[in-house]
């Protein structure tokens, strides 16, 4: 029964996104809410509509009103997500400074922490869990924002990661988390109908920050270490494509003496495209890597400590070889 609810939530969210996205695209074009090419990082030929993030948010929210009862934690996630949607809208319509965005993100994270949504590991005391949770949520929020630099990349990676986290939640019997993840995945899949190359609408900060925050929060509302403590790294693996890109870009910019928050063509996806991969090939490769990392995380959860270490070694070796 629960899996039927998850499937229904996914379908409803996807259908709503397919219906809402073109309507919001028309509104964005009518009122000039567009991303204009600049010849540098923004290389698309014509202005592309924003407000795709609003379509994802509304599809997510409306689908849940049909399939889910809202408890305290769900309401906290909806409130925190709404804060970032509003913050993103202001940024997409104008331009917010990095410190203003950071302050808004911290307010949203505070809502989650107050509702008890934070890292909960037996071997980790609460005084350490809270600051680590804040750091984790800031990382996931900004990671999905940073990889939103190519048609379909951030939304599709979020969809695959949400499905991987859904499998974990379903295996652990966390029905509410699984339903929320089904809504995220369905909203992203429906939106990709218009965001995959050639994209006719972007989700902007409105969608990328919203997805990053909720995926980070829902990754914490899962159980990973019942069989071995090494599986504590599983959430980082599932969201690894976005997190690795963020850390890689920060490292490169630091080495070059550039501001960390300054846009630059240092992203892994942009480097892959320079290596003669097309945009579609690069994006699909990111989906495949996310799926492999998600499957590896599930295997780690059910393996012995020794087996989990072997999985990590194999993944690390593959990363070094590539």
């Amino acid at each position: 029964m629960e899996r039927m609810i998850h499937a229904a939530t996914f379908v409803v969210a996807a259908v709503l996104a397919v219906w809402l996205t073109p309507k919001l695209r028309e509104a964005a074009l009518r009122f000039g809410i567009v991303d204009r090419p600049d010849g540098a990082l923004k290389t698309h030929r014509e202005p592309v509509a924003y407000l795709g993030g609003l379509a994802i948010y509304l599809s997510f929210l409306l689908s849940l009103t049909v399939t889910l009862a809202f408890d305290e934690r769900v309401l906290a996630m909806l409130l925190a997500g709404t804060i970032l949607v509003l913050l993103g809208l202001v940024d997409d319509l104008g331009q917010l400074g990095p410190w203003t965005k950071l302050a808004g993100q911290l307010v949203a994270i505070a809502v989650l922490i107050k509702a008890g949504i934070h890292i909960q590991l037996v071997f980790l005391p609460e005084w350490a869990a809270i600051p680590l949770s804040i750091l984790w949520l800031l990382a996931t929020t900004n990671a999905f924002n940073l990889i939103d630099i190519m048609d379909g990349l951030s939304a599709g990676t979020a969809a695959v990661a949400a499905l991987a986290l859904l499998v974990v939640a379903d295996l652990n019997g966390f029905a509410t988390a699984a339903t929320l993840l089904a809504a995220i995945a369905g909203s992203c899949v429906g939106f990709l109908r218009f965001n995959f190359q050639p994209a006719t609408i972007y989700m902007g900060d409105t969608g990328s920050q919203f997805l990053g925050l909720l995926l980070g929060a829902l990754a914490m509302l899962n159980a990973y270490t019942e069989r071995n403590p090494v599986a504590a790294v599983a959430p980082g693996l599932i969201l690894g494509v976005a997190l690795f890109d963020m850390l890689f870009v920060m490292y490169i910019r630091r080495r070059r003496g550039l501001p960390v928050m300054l846009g630059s063509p240092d992203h892994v996806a942009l480097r892959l495209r320079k290596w003669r991969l097309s945009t579609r090939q690069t994006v699909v490769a990111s989906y495949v890597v996310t799926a492999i990392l998600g499957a590896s995380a599930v295997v780690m959860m059910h393996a012995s400590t020794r087996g989990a270490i072997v999985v990590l070694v194999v993944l690390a070796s593959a990363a070094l070889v590539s």
Side-chain angles (χ1 to χ4, degrees), residues 212-259:
L213 179 73
L214 285 196
L215 286 173
L218 288 163
M220 295 190 302
L221 290 180
N222 252 322
Y224 303 95
T225 58
E226 290 184 0
R227 301 199 179 187
N228 70 83
V230 180
V233 303
L237 286 179
I238 295 171
L239 304 182
V241 167
L243 292 172
F244 176 80
D245 183 75
M246 178 188 69
L247 294 173
F248 179 77
V249 169
M250 290 175 65
Y251 171 72
I252 294 296
R253 290 177 185 174
R254 282 289 186 187
R255 285 196 60 181
R256 294 178 176 176
L258 299 173

Side-chain angles (χ1 to χ4, degrees), residues 54-124:
L54 191 57
I56 291 173
Y57 168 73
L58 291 174
S59 302
F60 168 81
L61 184 61
L62 292 173
S63 65
L64 292 177
T65 62
V66 179
T67 60
L68 186 66
F70 293 178
D71 59 20
E72 180 183 354
R73 285 187 170 184
V74 171
L75 290 172
M77 281 188 278
L78 294 181
L79 175 57
T82 300
I83 290 171
L84 287 195
V85 165
L86 294 175
L87 185 75
L89 276 174
V90 173
D91 194 36
D92 290 338
L93 293 172
Q95 187 65 44
L96 290 178
W99 293 110
T100 304
K101 290 171 68 173
L102 177 62
Q105 291 170 4
L106 287 172
V107 171
I109 291 169
V111 172
L112 297 176
I113 300 295
K114 187 175 181 180
I117 301 172
H118 56 77
I119 296 172
Q120 296 180 355
L121 295 171
V122 175
F123 55 84
L124 193 66

Side-chain angles (χ1 to χ4, degrees), residues 25-36 47-51 92-93:
R25 177 180 178 273
E26 291 176 9
L29 292 174
R30 182 180 304 169
F31 293 104
I33 307 171
V34 296
D35 186 36
R36 302 183 186 281
V48 177
Y50 270 138
L51 298 186
D92 290 338
L93 293 172

